[in-house]
Structures are given as C-alpha cells and as structure tokens.
Amino acid sequence: MFDPKSRAWIVPSLCLISLLISLEVDGSPAPLILLESAVAKGAVCLDGSPPAYHFSPGSGSGVNNWLVFMEGGGWCRNVTECVELTGNSGGSSKFMKELSFSGILGDNQKTNPDFYNWNRIMIRYCDGSSFTGDVEAVDPATNLHYRGGRVWHAMIDDLLAKGMNKAENVDRTCEGGLASILHCDDFRSLLPSSVNVKCFSDAGYFIDVKDISGADSVKSLYTDVVNLHESEKFLPSSCNWRQGPSWCFFPQNVVPEMSTPLFILNSAYDSWQIRNILVPSSADPGQAWAECKLDIKKCSSSQLQTLQGYRSQFLRALPTSTSTGVFIISCYAHCQSGGPPTWQDVDSPMIENTTIAKAVGDWYNDRSAVRKIDCEYPCNSSCPNINNE
C-alpha cells in the first residue's frame, strides 16, 4: 500500500570537475550501473553507449526517501564539440568508473544530517544538452546520438521500477543545476500526486545577459544547443517561447511558471558564468580579463565595478516568490553542494551564520523559509576557502 507521506526529491547536475574530485576523495563508494535496457529505446550517450548512474541504498528512517542527483558538465553546440566529448565521460559511459559520494550525497550524519540515509542516486551526464536532446537520425560519419531527453526518461523509469514509485520523499538535485530546473515539473508529473517532491538547483541559474562586448554570447550558445539536439520536446511546456525555444534554457523565463517547489543555490559572482557568459574569450581578445577571471582578488577597480553590475542583473533575474528557497552567496565559486568543504564543515561558507546544508535542510523540511542573499564581494569572511573554484 502506498504511504501518503511519501516524498521525492530530484537534484540537478554536478559541477563536473570540482565535484568529481571531492567525490573520489570523501564518502562511501557507489558502484556504476550501466542501464543496458535503455539502448533498445535509443536512450544512449553521445557515442551510443548505454547511460549510467550510481546508487547508494537508503536505510533506517530514510529507506523510503530518494535523492536523485543529476550530473552536469556543460553543453556541446556543434559536431566538433560533441565528438570531442565522446572521448571522455562527458559523452560516453565507457570512461565512467565507480565514485564515492560526499556533500549532499554523503552518508555522514554530521555533515549531511537531512539526507545522509536516503536512497541516493547520481545520474551521469553524457549527452551535452542538459538531458533535452531527441534526434532520431544518426550520422554514420560521426555516430553521434543526440538523445539526452530519452536518457532522462529511461533513467526515471528504471528508478521508479526499483521502488521510487513508493517513495515518501523525493528530492531532485543538480550541481550545475540547469537540468534540475528544466525537468523539475516533468519529474513531479511522473510520480504519484501524494509524494512530496521538491527540486534543488546548484549553480544552474544562468542568466540572460550580454557579455562585456555587448554580444549575446550565451543566447547564441543556447540557440545552437537547442537546434543541434532538437531540444524542444523536452523543454518545459509551461515556458512561453517568446524568442524561440532557447528562451526556455534561461531559468528566469522558466521558474515563474513552475509549480514544483524549488531551491536556488548560486553565487552572485558565479565563476563559470563570469568566465564564459560575461567575459567569454571572444569578448576579450586582448586577455585583459585573464588574471581577473582566474583570481577575483586580481581584478582592477573597473573590473570589479563590472562584476558588481553583473551581480545586480543576477539579483534582478531571481524569482520574487517567497516559496522559492534562495541562497545567493558572494564567493567567487561555481558548484557548492558536492563536498564537505562547501556543503557543511567547520570552515564552510555561510550567510548569516547559516551553512548551505542547514539552509537546504530547513527549506526542504519546512522548518523555515529560506531567502538569504549575501552582501557584495568582498564582504563575506567565510569565502576565502572557496573563492576562485
């Protein structure tokens, strides 16, 4: 019989490099599970290999609770970039290995008190489209499969069959968490209505902003990704395609229409966004920003002024609803939920003496509303341990 108190949570994608480093160092091992049955459905990685996930079973009070963590790692916008990804785990499960979980996926009650004994899953990312692609044809010259949307549904179908359909709580989380936002309501629709489903996005709130040269670099990137992967089918149906389907790759255009509760964890000076959206290489041919992008402490006064202007645009793009959890820190960092140093440790970054783990736990368990927005850089004394990651 289904427990009416069941909950489900889905977590967005990992910050591929920094998080995987911490995952291999801390926490308990989680074997790699190749989903061979998905191949017949055409739900495969870029190179046609089967998709994969890692699973650590729940215990005790968490045995009926599920944390689904979606790995991230960026996008490929053209054939050349996608072919390059097939040479590593970003595009092929052939290069994936067993990992150890930590941070929000960790099994240490002290550092992860709210989720340590849940069923914890990490869905590996190998499609280059934030799990949105759906192209039937395969070019024999490249053997590229643009099937991220199919991978997403094949994974969820498998987890439902393994017991998630009888969950008490489900949290969908993602580091590099655009995928968590794009698929949140769809995930909610695949579970029984009595399940408590919430979504958490770590470093996935990419904003629609011009780069320092005045060009729409990120909009151009998203347009290329959506067109190449034919992503329309797996973008949120509630989003108004005011400027084409790539419009719906920007969370600020999706979140206001979401019906599932969402928590946004981000830096107002997100290091990936600064380096790739605000100041991409194409906008800085003379590399005047090279040192600043590498180390925010080396930014000139005029560069810092530009970063403060970016922060203002970022804050204006955030949802205003008090039901949306918000933790916007001023550290120069990207993903922050994947390991103890940033999730919850003695020297973890904080806002108003609150760690990220406590803020997320308080919001998820309805202990308190969470809307914490940090002061301007360099005000936060807890940031130096993570700045420039």
Side-chain angles (χ1 to χ4, degrees), residues 336-357:
Q336 301 173 74
S337 66
T342 49
W343 179 243
Q344 180 152 289
D345 209 344
V346 291
D347 57 356
S348 291
M350 295 186 290
I351 301 178
E352 298 172 356
N353 295 317
T354 301
T355 63
I356 295 168

Side-chain angles (χ1 to χ4, degrees), residues 69-293:
F69 194 106
M70 300 171 69
E71 183 183 30
W75 313 274
C76 58
R77 67 190 299 175
N78 54 48
V79 170
T80 300
E81 292 179 357
C82 292
V83 168
E84 184 176 350
L85 282 180
T86 62
N88 56 61
S89 62
S92 173
S93 61
K94 297 175 184 177
F95 300 93
M96 298 176 185
K97 300 178 181 179
E98 179 180 276
L99 296 175
S100 292
F101 285 172
S102 65
I104 193 172
L105 289 169
D107 61 0
N108 186 314
Q109 186 174 5
K110 181 179 180 181
T111 58
N112 191 29
D114 290 290
F115 311 110
Y116 74 98
N117 63 350
W118 286 31
N119 294 285
R120 287 154 290 130
I121 296 95
M122 183 202 298
I123 297 177
R124 298 301 299 269
Y125 181 61
C126 62
D127 68 274
S129 70
S130 291
F131 297 95
T132 63
D134 189 23
V135 179
E136 182 64 35
V138 177
D139 184 349
T142 62
N143 194 40
L144 287 173
H145 296 69
Y146 304 112
R147 305 282 181 78
R150 297 189 194 186
V151 168
W152 157 245
H153 274 277
M155 287 288 181
I156 298 306
D157 287 346
D158 189 67
L159 294 175
L160 289 171
K162 283 183 166 59
M164 193 171 68
N165 63 328
K166 299 179 180 179
E168 292 183 357
N169 300 283
V170 178
D171 180 12
R172 175 175 179 257
T173 72
C174 188
E175 226 176 3
L178 176 61
S180 184
I181 294 173
L182 295 180
H183 298 290
C184 181
D185 281 348
D186 179 52
F187 180 70
R188 160 69 279 179
S189 71
L190 298 173
L191 289 157
S193 59
S194 53
V195 178
N196 181 25
V197 181
K198 295 186 178 182
C199 298
F200 165 59
S201 173
D202 179 3
Y205 207 86
F206 302 100
I207 65 171
D208 185 0
V209 61
K210 294 182 181 299
D211 65 33
I212 59 170
S213 73
D216 288 313
S217 298
V218 67
K219 190 174 293 183
S220 175
L221 165 64
Y222 285 165
T223 298
D224 290 346
V225 171
V226 168
N227 289 340
L228 178 66
H229 295 263
E230 297 184 11
S231 299
E232 296 93 334
K233 179 180 177 180
F234 289 100
L235 291 175
S237 59
S238 60
C239 179
N240 182 353
W241 292 5
R242 191 177 306 173
Q243 296 181 18
S246 61
W247 169 268
C248 298
F249 246 59
F250 291 105
Q252 66 200 78
N253 302 325
V254 174
V255 173
E257 305 302 322
M258 285 176 54
S259 59
T260 309
L262 173 70
F263 189 100
I264 299 168
L265 167 62
N266 228 99
S267 168
Y269 309 88
D270 184 284
S271 56
W272 192 93
Q273 293 197 49
I274 298 299
R275 294 165 181 165
N276 297 279
I277 293 178
L278 181 64
V279 195
S281 298
S282 60
D284 184 35
Q287 297 191 333
W289 280 76
E291 289 192 347
C292 175
K293 290 199 295 182

